[in-house]
Amino acid sequence: MTYDDVNRPEHYAGTKIEVIDYIEDKGLGFCLGNAIKYISRAGRKHSAGMDDKEKEIQDLEKAKWYLERRIFELKQGMS
């Protein structure tokens, strides 16, 4: 399989279903879509200066942030 940093990044496309296709199919919207994105790539995208465990933790914290943001939106009556 051929990967491309822009159109088909390995940290999202290395599975049977691409994350963006799942997010769009489910109509998850911005916050939930981003949570799924970060959960899906946790531990798979490498960053300079961070080991795999640190990057996985960072991605899971980002996912948590987006989940908390969506909960806030719902509690505030925002769509």
Side-chain angles (χ1 to χ4, degrees):
M1 186 172 293
T2 304
Y3 298 108
D4 172 308
D5 287 342
V6 173
N7 299 302
R8 191 172 171 78
E10 186 173 3
H11 54 274
Y12 292 126
T15 61
K16 292 179 186 178
I17 301 167
E18 283 200 49
V19 176
I20 193 167
D21 294 331
Y22 178 81
I23 291 167
E24 289 175 347
D25 183 62
K26 295 293 183 181
L28 295 177
F30 188 77
C31 287
L32 294 180
N34 273 315
I36 294 295
K37 174 184 80 169
Y38 285 116
I39 290 167
S40 297
R41 81 175 200 191
R44 299 184 68 206
K45 183 176 181 183
H46 303 287
S47 293
M50 297 179 85
D51 65 29
D52 289 346
K53 182 178 177 181
E54 291 170 324
K55 184 59 186 157
E56 183 173 4
I57 290 168
Q58 183 183 61
D59 282 339
L60 294 174
E61 287 175 341
K62 288 178 181 180
K64 179 182 170 187
W65 188 93
Y66 279 105
L67 289 172
E68 289 173 347
R69 173 68 183 192
R70 182 62 184 141
I71 291 167
F72 172 81
E73 290 175 349
L74 290 168
K75 287 182 176 180
Q76 297 300 312
M78 303 162 74
S79 54

